[in-house]
Amino acid sequence: MTHFLVRRLLLTIPVLLGVTTLVFSLIHLVPGDPVQAMLGESAAPQDVAELRGRLGLDRPLYAQYGAFLKGVVTGNWGTSLRTNQAVTSAIAERMPATVELAAVAMAVAMLVAIPLGIIAAVNAGSSVDHVATTVALVGISVPGFWLGPLLAIVFSVVLGWLPVSGRGTLAHLVLPAITLGAPLAAVLARVTRASVVEELRELYVLVARARGVSHARAVVRHAFRNSLIPVVTVLGLQFGAVLTGAVITETIFSWPGVGRLLIQSISFRDYPLVQGCILLIAVTYVAMNLLTDLMYGLVDPRIRYD
Amino acid sequence: MILAALAAIVGPGLTPFDPAAQDLPLRLAGPTLTHPFGLDELGRDVLARVLAGARISFFVGLTVVSISASIGTFLGAVAGYFGGVLDDAIGRAIDVLLAFPGLLLAIALVAVLGPSLSNVLFALTIIGWVGYARLVRGQALRARELEYVQAARAVGARAPHVLWRHIIPAAMPAVVVQATLGMGGAIIGEAALSFLGLGVQPPTPSWGTMLNGGRAHLLDAPHLTIFPGLAIAALVLGLNFLGDGLRDAADPKQT
């Protein structure tokens, strides 16, 4: 097990290095002079030179890269061009909102999807199953940037039940959480269904039934428990979709999280902040994948690395 | 899906209105018999713009899928077949690109390159090829060991011939399924970037751009949000149904 753990952790290092390198390269992909792009065409040459020096863009590329890597490790991610605030503290201020939204969305998705998936699996091939699987496919196909405004039209504009934007009360959280959680729920319901259907075919379920265990108990205590491994794995893997979805959901509902900060900094060409947000989201995703893999390895010894 | 394809081909010919023609006195007017989808904030016919938007969506979907599937299939086959340093290099590139969830890298790329249709195509291709490469690499690793491939090598067939005649064709069914689902992904990707203001720029009618414009009028003109979104959802649902069906047909376990 230790061997698996160490190997998996070591495999993460080149990925993180690659991610950091790509994020570093972003500013150099700006067509023309990135500093001029940030300040605008009419900026005075001395302002351009001053900012270029401040960002270290006047140094050789290898020195810039070294400084960037050092900054990433030591927590010095630069300062926002617009507010002069440290990138790390700007992100830290927005983090709780994103964490809150993502956690509630994932919880809502699980609460809806797992029972739906089990019901579909138990009734596999019936009309209940067809309805559930079609609902799930619709859920995957409806993009958040449409679902969010639609929910806002119905529940905020027409019915006036919920606020359309902002953060503060539980009511503010409802529409963003549903918007973000819906596609996840659709994916989870499909995986739960497929996984439970598979387990229900296994011999041990038949044996349990033959021993007189009720159908409901065989499904919940036996088949479902074993089908949880792929469900948890998919939940971990779908975390990436939740992070990207958060960028869109936060923009729709003016939710003050990291995703909205990213889109705002893009519109202000605040590249250090853009790089910071991208780096944070990617590293969180890598960490979550690592955690999922480790958990998977713990739960199911068959998949451990040699 | 067929309806959307027809709309993309015949396009604006289905309605007498020009997607760019403005009728300012009627701005934000709701659906009527003359304008079944209503008019937008500049008095343009929403139906004509949804039809014109179908072209953009299909163009993006087909372009991104064909380029990324070609690049991904080639690199995946090469990595799986040759192994060694080549496989390591391609494998690391795949790992790094997969470390960026979903559209994040595309958002980052378009953020620095600037919002435009060509940059959207570029960004979606950069994130798109990885899925095909990973898929084909796995298939190539398996196909490399098959008897007929070993036989071809034993009689002196050169690597490009083996790749082209044996390895890539063996991976094709899986690539086709991935491409069908990937087309839906690319269409949603373009719409999402345009919705965030990072994709196709006004006045070009893209479904995402139209949804972005509709956000300011949720209260007074919900039709600006309803119809373009319905078009995206219907098309992507059709592609997902097709992809699911193809996957089931290609999966021997399903029979």
Side-chain angles (χ1 to χ4, degrees):
Chain A
M1 188 60 210
T2 319
H3 184 69
F4 163 72
L5 235 156
V6 171
R7 200 188 143 98
R8 188 63 188 78
L9 280 171
L10 285 177
L11 278 173
T12 309
I13 296 172
V15 172
L16 284 177
L17 197 66
V19 167
T20 318
T21 308
L22 239 170
V23 172
F24 163 77
S25 321
L26 282 176
I27 203 162
H28 297 280
L29 291 174
V30 176
D33 181 356
V35 180
Q36 194 79 53
M38 285 183 235
L39 293 175
E41 287 307 315
S42 53
Q46 60 268 33
D47 291 342
V48 174
E50 192 267 326
L51 182 60
R52 184 171 288 122
R54 192 148 67 88
L55 293 173
L57 291 172
D58 51 354
R59 297 157 70 190
L61 202 61
Y62 66 86
Q64 289 181 39
Y65 182 57
F68 185 81
L69 281 186
K70 192 177 160 206
V72 166
V73 176
T74 55
N76 176 14
W77 292 17
T79 50
S80 158
L81 297 180
R82 198 166 62 93
T83 62
N84 260 331
Q85 191 183 9
V87 167
T88 41
S89 74
I91 291 176
E93 272 176 17
R94 303 290 195 108
M95 270 298 272
T98 300
V99 172
E100 176 185 302
L101 176 60
V104 175
M106 288 176 94
V108 168
M110 280 164 71
L111 281 176
V112 174
I114 293 177
L116 192 72
I118 295 178
I119 292 169
V122 172
N123 299 292
S126 73
S127 50
V128 176
D129 179 29
H130 288 307
V131 171
T133 41
T134 308
V135 168
L137 199 62
V138 171
I140 289 173
S141 309
V142 172
F145 52 86
W146 187 46
L147 181 64
L150 272 190
L151 291 173
I153 288 173
V154 176
F155 294 101
S156 306
V157 177
V158 177
L159 299 171
W161 291 352
L162 295 163
V164 75
S165 65
R167 178 183 179 230
T169 66
L170 199 62
H172 285 99
L173 191 55
V174 177
L175 294 183
I178 295 176
T179 305
L180 187 55
L184 176 65
V187 174
L188 274 183
R190 278 160 64 104
V191 175
T192 307
R193 181 199 170 275
S195 180
V196 173
V197 162
E198 201 108 311
E199 291 299 327
L200 281 174
R201 288 195 195 125
E202 294 290 329
L203 204 57
Y204 71 88
V205 177
L206 288 176
V207 171
R209 290 283 286 138
R211 273 186 16 236
V213 171
S214 72
H215 186 58
R217 196 178 160 84
V219 170
V220 176
R221 288 295 298 273
H222 297 271
F224 173 62
R225 276 176 73 164
N226 276 314
S227 65
L228 262 180
I229 297 169
V231 173
V232 170
T233 310
V234 168
L235 192 66
L237 294 176
Q238 283 295 312
F239 188 69
V242 173
L243 289 174
T244 319
V247 175
I248 289 167
T249 309
E250 289 177 5
T251 305
I252 296 170
F253 294 102
S254 305
W255 187 264
V258 179
R260 185 152 181 255
L261 180 67
L262 169 65
I263 299 302
Q264 284 172 331
S265 15
I266 290 173
S267 61
F268 290 116
R269 290 175 189 263
D270 193 342
Y271 294 126
L273 203 45
V274 172
Q275 285 177 308
C277 293
I278 301 277
L279 187 65
L280 175 91
I281 299 176
V283 169
T284 310
Y285 184 50
V286 171
M288 197 64 189
N289 278 346
L290 176 68
L291 213 66
T292 309
D293 261 19
L294 294 182
M295 267 173 57
Y296 203 3
L298 275 173
V299 177
D300 188 347
R302 283 170 302 182
I303 67 108
R304 275 178 211 168
Y305 288 60
D306 295 327
Chain B
M1 208 189 86
I2 294 169
L3 270 179
L6 273 178
I9 297 162
V10 184
L14 292 171
T15 160
F17 299 101
D18 183 329
Q22 300 182 4
D23 191 354
L24 285 171
L26 282 178
R27 61 189 294 274
L28 300 176
T32 58
L33 278 178
T34 327
H35 301 283
F37 287 6
L39 293 122
D40 71 2
E41 68 276 15
L42 293 173
R44 295 170 298 194
D45 183 63
V46 175
L47 175 60
R49 295 182 67 72
V50 167
L51 290 172
R55 279 195 180 177
I56 300 270
S57 289
F58 265 89
F59 174 69
V60 170
L62 290 171
T63 311
V64 169
V65 163
S66 46
I67 299 176
S68 44
S70 306
I71 297 174
T73 302
F74 174 72
L75 291 179
V78 165
Y81 182 73
F82 291 107
V85 184
L86 216 55
D87 186 25
D88 279 346
I90 295 171
R92 289 296 86 80
I94 292 175
D95 286 347
V96 169
L97 291 176
L98 285 178
F100 292 87
L103 273 181
L104 185 74
L105 188 59
I107 291 175
L109 286 171
V110 180
V112 293
L113 294 172
S116 75
L117 181 58
S118 52
N119 287 342
V120 166
L121 293 174
F122 173 73
L124 292 177
T125 305
I126 291 287
I127 63 168
W129 70 268
V130 183
Y132 299 95
R134 201 170 52 154
L135 183 76
V136 175
R137 180 183 170 274
Q139 303 268 338
L141 278 173
R142 234 187 326 273
R144 187 170 72 165
E145 305 304 329
L146 293 176
E147 269 179 26
Y148 68 90
V149 176
Q150 302 231 344
R153 288 163 73 180
V155 297
R158 296 167 70 90
H161 177 83
V162 177
L163 277 173
W164 183 246
R165 290 298 297 271
H166 301 295
I167 304 283
I168 291 176
M172 265 307 128
V175 171
V176 170
V177 173
Q178 172 96 350
T180 316
L181 297 168
M183 177 136 167
I187 288 172
I188 287 201
E190 180 276 316
L193 290 171
S194 299
F195 175 78
L196 292 170
L198 301 171
V200 176
Q201 294 300 296
T204 309
S206 139
W207 292 341
T209 313
M210 292 168 76
L211 279 176
N212 191 19
R215 275 170 66 202
H217 299 285
L218 286 184
L219 196 66
D220 51 341
H223 61 273
L224 298 186
T225 295
I226 293 169
F227 294 113
L230 199 60
I232 300 173
L235 177 56
V236 174
L237 182 67
L239 286 165
N240 285 345
F241 263 127
L242 185 67
D244 266 16
L246 287 174
R247 183 167 48 199
D248 290 351
D251 183 359
K253 272 197 286 184
Q254 290 286 331
T255 53

